[in-house]
Amino acid sequence: MSPRESATRLSALVRHNALLMLREPGPLLSRMILPLLFITLLRPLYLAAQGRTAGTEQAVVGALVTFSLLALSISGSAILTERLGRTWDRLRGTPLHPAEMLIGKAIPVFAALLAQQLLIIGFGTWVFGLRVPHPFLVLGVLLSWSCTLLGLGALLGVLVRSMGELSAAFDIGGMLLSSVGGALVPLSVLPAWVSGMAPASPGYWTARGLRAALHGNAPTVVAACGTLVTVALICGTLASVRLQGRSGRLVAL
């Protein structure tokens, strides 16, 4: 297949999946609005416990990590709806490569995830005075985290068998990864065993990277971004392998 043909197929997939997302905006809108309410309502508690600067950072970082993990529903359902809607078999009969299938679905979802995170950071900055003196470091963490969410979502989308399973996976998994990672509550006040488990959570590296980016700690940001991208590559590779049969064509799931 020529690169031009591949680009044409990919462009059609991106437009199609973006249209599907816009036709059902409810999940996306809820993931945009709820974190803003979370910050507004819970920020006073963080301020009382940690002070103005640290409390605002904790509220924004906690909301971003938690609700972006819950947004795995957007990424996973992009694949699962194809399977449940019986359109997966039609895709198997086309010249599509599994990588094209994943990328075509990933681009609109990536844009939505990044928009959600930028909205949360912007809201914290403009409404509550969150200081972002190093925006490029913050952007690097957000891009890496969006890639990780895409990989996790794609893997869930090819593994689960129903919307109920997907819902349970991102509800339980999202809150668990966020809480264990120290996004909602600082690890310093959690039991020691939680601190020991925290680095196993991608949410830990996101929260760590964001806090480091806000304070200009570039080496920590690089380490966090490297870990997140590694997780993204592992999950994306596993999802692609699950989609690909011996002939390199899409397989039934």
Side-chain angles (χ1 to χ4, degrees), residues 169-195:
F170 69 73
D171 279 343
I172 298 173
M175 293 303 298
L176 182 62
L177 292 177
S178 176
S179 301
V180 172
L184 290 174
V185 180
L187 291 174
S188 58
V189 301
L190 292 175
W193 65 267
V194 177
S195 299

Side-chain angles (χ1 to χ4, degrees), residues 109-115 117 141-151 228 232:
V109 175
F110 183 89
L113 292 171
L114 187 59
Q117 295 167 43
V141 178
L142 297 185
L143 290 172
S144 302
W145 180 227
S146 296
C147 290
T148 303
L149 292 172
L150 280 177
L228 292 173

